[in-house]
Amino acid sequence: MEPFRILRSIAAPLIRDNVDTDAIIPSREMKSVSKKGLSVGLFAGWRYSDVDARVPDPAFVLNRPEYANAKILLGGGNFGSGSSREHAVWALAEYGFRAVIATGFSPIFRGNCVRNGVLPIAMDPAPFDEPGLVLEIDLPAQEIRGNGRTWHFDIDEEAKLMLTEGLDPIALTLLDRPAIDAHESADRQARPWAWSVLPQGDAA
Amino acid sequence: MTRMARTLFDKLWNAHLVRDLGGGTGLVAIDRVLLHERTGGIALKALEESGRPVRDPARVFVTMDHVVDTLPGRGDRTIMPTGTDFILATREAALRAGATLFDIGDPRQGIVHVISPENAVVLPGLTLVCPDSHTCTQGAFGALAWGIGSSEAEHALATGTLRITRPKQMRVTVSGELAPGVTAKDLALHVVARLGSGGGRAHVIEYAGPTIAALPMEARMTLCNMATELAAFTAVIAPDAATAAWLEGRTYAPRGEDWQAALADWADLNTDDGAAFDREVAIDAADVVPMISWGTAPQQSVPLAGRVPRLAEPAPDAAPTTPEAHARALAYMDLAEDAALLGLPIDAAFIGSCTNARLPDLRAAASILAGRKVAEGVRAICVPGSTRVKAEAEAEGLDRVFLDAGFEWREAGCSMCFFSGGEHFGEEERVISTTNRNFESRQGPRTRTHLASPATVAASAIAGRIADPRELEAH
């Protein structure tokens, strides 16, 4: 995963409440058993006036030329609500988005962002919805800079660590294997009923 | 020194905390991982490609529910283009990994959140995850069960743990008696309408109080199912005698001495008196009435006998909304402010999903449908939540009631709870549905979905318009 440090980009405003993951990547756009090839289906229901023929709807924000290379997306409340499908973030990332600034996020979507190198910033997006404004997001400093102004944003330590280091969380957790093994051994003693019922009995 | 009073969630968290990672994050042991064919194949294949084995296949359960056909005589072929690829990929990956598979044709097959409780894969005190946002359904058993993405599923499969930011805690206490004809679905919609689609964000919700304790297990599942519609981390309900009675004797329930040990452990799975929550919400069951959604988010729900709210005059208890969201929902649903919901003509009725397709849901609908016919021109579909629910319903003759009324009677699966590119309701068709989401195009491109209880859906199917089941005498 590519580390996230400093990102400079214009921000595309899609400031609506409850932009759900069905809207971000409609279910019918998830055609293959793969994480790839999803960006063409990003916001398909809104982005195309004819979805089947892929005719762009010029009114949709991402089809406006000034946002062609936007790496930052602005959203409203409860962004990424609905289905847990990680395809929503895979599609956003493949399209080129590396950060979403929204009033609030669904928790599963937010976690999916962090695990795919997309920075979710929970704050009011209104100040960034200004024509032509180029933003600089500095994750180590937890700052957004633009137009000579600076805004601070909050992010939990775990998400910051994952994003800034581009860490593979599985590799990181596997370093704790001895602690996991010890926890499981103790749990098998403490709660035998939780283990003896498993289909292959004591598999480990 | 007396011990700190702890919540149910505190106890679940502490029992599974492998290591405190600092910064509010914990490494949390995961007892069960559930997968389905929509995303399970991707997670298992990605893990394989990374060269990492599944840590403990015995703890992994896989079902076919999301894209599998629900038409009679189904096999691996699907109406959804490429759906077969998902089924084959998931089956092959599950078998290679050594996981337990509830395949098409298996009597244990069904929607993941229906079959896991049915088979006692979920038990009080366990942690359980699934790449599906409605995993919170299973919190009804006093388990910590929540929805994750595919990457986190890979993490849980590879390590037996997840790295979790500890959520805040909210208790929703419900007191008093639900009036006749008022169901857990109505309560769930009442809560979402009041707290809002983001009202539970970053919180684990404990549903508590005498009304909750009086709910049968299926109703508790319906209530917890919609916690994700509040953006909650998940929901939990303390296990009690009803929980144990429901689970006893099921496939993966403990037996003998283990059962006794489990019961002893579960007796402590409740919130201590005096334990503190970050937020407390009190609900009087007498204020809850049959509900229906009018808009395109679950929070846009009102009493069945009510009207589409005016933005300028929201209901006293309603969650705040924005003018843009209000206008957009009105336009999408082709409704005006102040319009009555009762009497609105419908094109289709759907009974199914992990919210409301368990046996008591089908019985409630059948009691309305018995001896009646679905209105001319209305397409009505019933999809049992699991193969077992279907078999039990058929043993009671419920299938005949549905079929005689003019409903389609399907094989178990998620079906048209969502549109996956194959079967769908038509453009701008108005559908009344027992499902959990009324998002734009959720049940098909431009389809208009109204969420309601099984009884309300059945009554509306008969009337051909949105109708109050309490006005039809149950046969």
Side-chain angles (χ1 to χ4, degrees), chain A residues 66-82:
Chain A
E66 63 267 38
Y67 298 118
N69 296 308
K71 295 183 172 65
I72 303 170
L73 186 65
L74 303 180
N78 203 28
F79 194 90
S81 59

Side-chain angles (χ1 to χ4, degrees), chain A residues 85-136:
Chain A
R85 64 181 70 154
E86 200 158 316
H87 305 68
V89 178
W90 296 333
L92 282 168
E94 190 180 79
Y95 186 88
F97 286 112
R98 300 256 11 237
V100 183
I101 305 173
T103 315
F105 294 92
S106 138
I108 302 176
F109 177 82
R110 189 192 161 284
N112 286 341
C113 282
V114 171
R115 277 157 191 81
N116 289 280
V118 175
L119 169 63
I121 299 177
M123 62 190 289
D124 182 1
F128 313 115
D129 183 13
E130 195 181 303
L133 176 63
V134 172
L135 297 175
E136 186 168 85

Side-chain angles (χ1 to χ4, degrees), chain B residues 8 136-137 139-140 142 169-175 184-185 187-193 195-196 199-200 204-215 219-230 232 234-240 270-271 277 280-281 283:
Chain B
L8 169 59
C136 47
T137 311
Q169 300 189 54
M170 181 193 310
R171 177 161 59 185
V172 176
T173 304
V174 191
S175 309
K185 178 60 160 293
L187 177 57
L189 288 171
H190 175 96
V191 172
V192 181
L195 297 183
V204 54
I205 296 174
E206 179 174 346
Y207 282 108
T211 315
I212 305 301
L215 290 178
R220 295 183 196 181
M221 286 186 248
T222 298
L223 180 61
C224 289
N225 174 272
M226 292 193 67
T228 187
E229 314 309 336
L230 296 156
T234 188
V236 288
I237 294 174
D240 58 13
N270 48 47
T271 291
F277 287 82
E280 294 262 16
V281 175
I283 289 177

Side-chain angles (χ1 to χ4, degrees), chain A residues 31 86 105 158 184 196, chain B residues 59 82 151 163 201 258:
Chain A
K31 293 189 180 87
E86 200 158 316
F105 294 92
E158 173 85 353
E184 285 192 4
S196 62
Chain B
R59 285 189 267 162
T82 76
S151 300
R163 309 172 72 92
R201 178 168 304 109
D258 280 347

